[in-house]
Structure formats: structure tokens, C-alpha cells
Amino acid sequence: MIQQTVLPFKIEMTKERLTAHGGLALMGEFNHGIGLRELTDQFLPAPGSNRGFNPSVMVDSLVLMLQGGGRSLEDLRELKNEEGLMKLIDREEIPEPNTAGDWLRKMGDPRSGQMGLTGLDKVRDKITERILRRDGITEYTLDADATEIVGEKADALFTYNGNKGYMPMLGFLYETPVCLYDEFREGNVAPGTGQKEFYEECKRRIPVGKRIRNYRADSASYQAGLFNQLEEDGVRYGITADQDKAVKSAIVLIPSGDWKEPVRGCGYEIAETVHCMNETKKAFRLVVKREVRRQGELFEGKDGQYFYHAVAANWLGEEKDTWEVLKWHNQRGQAENFNKEVKVGFGMERMPCGQTHANAVFFRIGVLAYNLFIGFKRLSCPESWVKQTIATFRWKMVQVAGRIVKHAGEAVLKSMIDLEKLELFKGIRRKSFELSLCPDG
């Protein structure tokens, strides 16, 4: 026989109930145990007829698709092909992509009050509350940040970067990195819009007995109204200062003897002064870092000899010195990793619909999938898994080959794993079951 392939093996079809994503059953079980289906049917509007899908079918299917690595509505077909796995987790109905798209448009339709978007807001809040009640933390750091989503969609508008797309605002908790609140915005909405209101929405979503203790953000949050509210709430903040004329003047007035290298040979110097805005009720510390411009002669007469980075902060001197404030503020870079996990890890860097209101619903479901994953890692998995990304989880846990069989009247998932991973999977299932017995704690 003449060889027609590089390697000598054949590919054939089978009707056996096989799966390439056996570990997805663990995530699906956790989602169900923490109450995703129940909450979705409780807070989202029911279908208009008995032929329509319940909200839980739509949301649960989209969440599973995103957790499993899907990136578009078309990827729902892959779940549909996982017939045995879907029956195993009691998700036998999977909507067609076109049906899901129509549902997203309906749920976000402004003419009907965006009832689906509002309902998902309540679902996300309840899921987040159930996660936070079990983390043993009472005070949190809120990292607020806007992120750009590029998309040549019919309703999309141009962002400040000149790209057509959207500019959602996200608020993450640093200690337990759930997304506390998401606000899907048009591309032409400036990141600085509604910063105080966004903080207050986040504050409203913290469970009773807990509080936002610290706040970090970039220069979009450099606003007197927000500063005053943070002071009133007793929140310590570190916010990148907008280098306007007043800030630049304050930097120039810092005595030359105040500039010190925090670490010998680090290549930059730090100092601080006191500053205020016209409408701030209290003055604040202005912590400044300066670094010599390389090839500074090219900038002579323009931007000066140094690069400057300034941070407005209200930490007391005995709580954090100049260097400690700067280091603490730099930790807000972790928010970029949280944004990356939502956008790249859960497929939110592209939107499926031409209508902004439909994409707002899809994005909120993506945030919900992300929060459920954070809960899954922290409440059901061993501590060593907590810092793993969703990409690592898919490689090590989700993409597990298995065969679904019936034995003594029970469904059995026979997986291609070793004894250590089998014990890991069993431990995860036990913790998910314990959670399901009392999800509200």
C-alpha cells in the first residue's frame, strides 16, 4: 500500500461518548454549586414563550464556553458536540449561536430597560458576595482601571487611541481579585468620566462587615470630587497625578537636596511635597520619582532634563514613607494582569455583536465567568493552584480526555489521569459539594 500520510495512523469516527474536556465538568459543577443557574433564573427575565430557553440555559452555556476556551458565539457548537459531557453536568440544552446572539440583543435592549443587563449585575454581585464571605478578609484594596477593546462593530465609536471599539471600566479587589463592578462604555467615553460614581458603585457592592480600605488608580482618577469622597470614607489612596501646570510647578519647587535614590545605584531619585487642587478639602502628599532622560540634549528647552512620575497619596508619613508609597502604588500594575485575564483569558478582547447594548451583556457574562473562575480556584482547589491563570488550568485540568459510561445506574467519567490527579479531582468535587450545601455561608 502506498503511504499517503506522514505518520502511519488512521482517523475514524466513533459514536462512543468521549470528551476532550473532562476537567470542564469540575468547573461546571462548581458553577452550579455556588448557585449560577438558580440566581440567573431568579434575576433575569423569563422567556416570552414556553418554547424559549430559560436564562440559566443561556448564561450557563456561555460561561462554560468561555471557561473552556471559546472566544465567539460559534464556539457554542463545540459544547453542543460534547453531548456526553453536557449530560454529565446536567446541561443537555445548548443554544445555537444565532439564538444566543438574539438573546444578547434582547437582554441589553434599552427599549425594554436592559432588564438582562440589570439582572446579570445582581447575579454577579451575589456570586461575588458568596466568594468574599469565605476569604477571611475584612479590608480590601480597590484597583480601578479602564481598558480598551478594539472592534470594527456597527455601533462602535472611536477611542482616544484612535481605534474603533469600547472602553469598559473595571474595579478589581487586589487581595481576592474578583471584578467587583464592570461598566461597559462606548469607545468615545473618556476614562476619567464618572470616576467618583464608579467608586461609589464598587463600595455599594462590598458585603456587610467588609470595606474598601485602599484605592489605587491611574491619572484618570485624579479628580477633586473623588479625593474628597475617599477622604470622607477614610480610604487611603494612591493615584497617579495628572501633570498639569500646578503639579509641574510643585515639582519644580522641591529643594534639590530632597531628591534621594531609594536604593543606591537604582538610576532614579524620589522626593515629595504637599499639594492640593482647587476643590479638594484636604491637602495630600505628592510623591515624585524622577529619572534622567537619556540623550537629554535632544529635549533641551522642551521637556527638561528629567522624566517625572507623580503619585497623589493620603497615607500618613508614619504609615508609609516616600519609597513605600511609590512601591505600594506600583502594585496597581497587577490590575493590568486582571484586565488581561478577562480580555485574553476569557475572550473579551473581541465582541460578538454589532450592537453596543448586546456586547455589554456579553461582556458582563465574561466578567461573571472570570469571577466564577476566581471562586473555583480559591474555594474548591488546593492553595497551590490559586495563582494559576485560566490558560494553565485549561492545559493541566480542563483538557483531560475521558470516556463517559454507565455503571450500576450511575454516570462515570473515566479520565486519562494518574492517581495524584484523580485525588485532586475528587477533592475539588468534595469542596464544591460542601459549598452547594450552604452557598450563602
Side-chain angles (χ1 to χ4, degrees):
M1 183 176 178
I2 300 176
Q3 184 171 338
Q4 296 179 322
T5 57
V6 177
L7 296 174
F9 65 86
K10 296 180 179 180
I11 298 178
E12 297 179 349
M13 292 175 58
T14 180
K15 294 297 183 181
E16 287 188 84
R17 298 171 73 186
L18 305 175
T19 179
H21 301 91
L24 191 60
L26 303 179
M27 288 190 180
E29 192 170 32
F30 173 84
N31 297 344
H32 188 32
I34 204 169
L36 175 62
R37 299 179 189 179
E38 170 198 351
L39 293 170
T40 304
D41 284 338
Q42 178 183 345
F43 291 121
L44 271 71
S49 69
N50 56 13
R51 293 186 303 167
F53 289 116
N54 285 332
S56 60
V57 175
M58 291 291 186
V59 175
D60 193 32
S61 298
L62 288 168
V63 165
L64 282 171
M65 183 262 295
L66 294 171
Q67 289 180 334
R71 312 188 77 76
S72 70
L73 297 184
E74 285 296 321
D75 292 328
L76 285 169
R77 299 188 195 279
E78 299 301 317
L79 280 189
K80 208 175 186 72
N81 291 336
E82 290 277 6
E83 182 181 351
L85 181 63
M86 293 300 101
K87 285 184 178 179
L88 198 68
I89 60 174
D90 196 25
R91 173 51 61 226
E92 297 190 34
E93 295 178 305
I94 302 293
E96 291 291 334
N98 289 342
T99 304
D102 291 341
W103 182 83
L104 292 173
R105 285 182 278 272
K106 181 180 178 182
M107 290 298 102
D109 193 343
R111 293 172 298 181
S112 60
Q114 295 188 308
M115 293 186 295
L117 193 61
T118 303
L120 285 168
D121 186 54
K122 295 176 181 177
V123 173
R124 184 207 56 233
D125 289 352
K126 194 65 178 176
I127 294 289
T128 302
E129 179 186 344
R130 290 175 175 179
I131 295 170
L132 296 181
R133 285 199 179 281
R134 291 170 164 82
D135 67 3
I137 300 170
T138 57
E139 296 184 334
Y140 299 94
T141 300
L142 177 65
D143 288 314
D145 196 20
T147 186
E148 182 186 50
I149 297 175
V150 178
E152 295 291 332
K153 301 297 182 180
D155 286 359
L157 301 174
F158 286 97
T159 71
Y160 69 91
N161 287 324
N163 300 313
K164 206 174 182 184
Y166 309 98
M167 191 65 70
M169 187 79 182
L170 299 167
F172 294 96
L173 298 182
Y174 178 78
E175 294 78 7
T176 301
V178 294
C179 180
L180 197 59
Y181 180 59
D182 64 280
E183 185 178 306
F184 197 77
R185 296 177 172 183
E186 298 278 11
N188 66 343
V189 176
T193 302
Q195 289 286 322
K196 176 187 172 185
E197 292 75 15
F198 184 84
Y199 158 71
E200 290 177 327
E201 287 290 345
C202 292
K203 181 177 69 172
R204 188 167 64 83
R205 286 164 169 80
I206 289 287
V208 176
K210 298 171 180 276
R211 66 181 291 242
I212 294 173
R213 180 67 179 86
N214 310 309
Y215 180 92
R216 291 187 296 227
D218 61 17
S219 59
S221 289
Y222 187 72
Q223 300 177 16
L226 175 60
F227 280 38
N228 291 336
Q229 189 62 55
L230 292 170
E231 286 283 4
E232 184 180 325
D233 293 342
V235 174
R236 290 285 183 252
Y237 61 78
I239 296 171
T240 305
D242 187 2
Q243 293 192 37
D244 54 23
K245 186 176 181 180
V247 168
K248 289 180 178 179
S249 297
I251 293 173
V252 169
L253 292 174
I254 296 176
S256 58
D258 288 0
W259 294 99
K260 307 289 183 184
E261 283 188 328
V263 179
R264 188 175 179 181
C266 66
Y268 59 88
E269 299 173 317
I270 60 174
E272 70 172 89
T273 186
V274 177
H275 190 57
C276 67
M277 289 183 268
N278 287 336
E279 296 181 9
T280 50
K281 296 177 181 178
K282 287 187 177 182
F284 49 85
R285 296 166 70 184
L286 192 66
V287 174
V288 187
K289 169 187 171 182
R290 75 177 186 183
E291 187 174 355
V292 175
R293 291 181 185 272
R294 299 186 185 280
Q295 297 182 311
E297 67 277 2
L298 298 177
F299 301 94
E300 188 174 353
K302 295 181 181 179
D303 296 316
Q305 181 183 359
Y306 298 101
F307 287 110
Y308 291 100
H309 173 66
V311 176
N314 67 342
W315 287 92
L316 300 178
E318 56 267 29
E319 294 173 330
K320 290 186 186 296
D321 62 24
T322 306
W323 177 222
E324 288 170 336
V325 168
L326 193 61
K327 287 193 295 183
W328 176 78
H329 179 261
N330 287 343
Q331 288 178 347
R332 69 166 297 276
Q334 184 65 22
E336 297 295 338
N337 291 329
F338 301 154
N339 275 330
K340 180 181 177 182
E341 186 78 334
V342 170
K343 289 171 62 179
V344 179
F346 287 87
M348 293 296 109
E349 83 273 42
R350 55 178 293 183
M351 293 291 106
C353 302
Q355 299 77 24
T356 299
H357 61 263
N359 290 331
V361 177
F362 184 72
F363 187 81
R364 185 153 288 172
I365 291 173
V367 169
L368 184 57
Y370 165 83
N371 281 357
L372 285 163
F373 173 62
I374 296 297
F376 175 68
K377 288 195 296 183
R378 290 175 174 260
L379 302 182
S380 290
C381 294
E383 189 176 350
S384 59
W385 287 77
V386 166
K387 293 186 178 180
Q388 304 293 338
T389 64
I390 185 63
T392 301
F393 262 78
R394 288 177 187 137
W395 178 247
K396 292 184 176 181
M397 186 179 291
V398 173
Q399 295 168 5
V400 172
R403 183 158 61 101
I404 298 139
V405 299
K406 284 278 189 178
H407 179 72
E410 288 188 325
V412 179
L413 174 60
K414 291 183 174 288
S415 302
M416 288 289 294
I417 53 178
D418 57 24
L419 183 59
E420 182 181 357
K421 187 163 285 188
L422 176 62
E423 292 303 316
L424 169 66
F425 282 17
K426 287 181 177 179
I428 289 172
R429 296 197 68 198
R430 279 194 299 270
K431 289 184 177 180
S432 295
F433 175 68
E434 291 167 4
L435 171 67
S436 71
L437 295 177
C438 188
D440 285 315

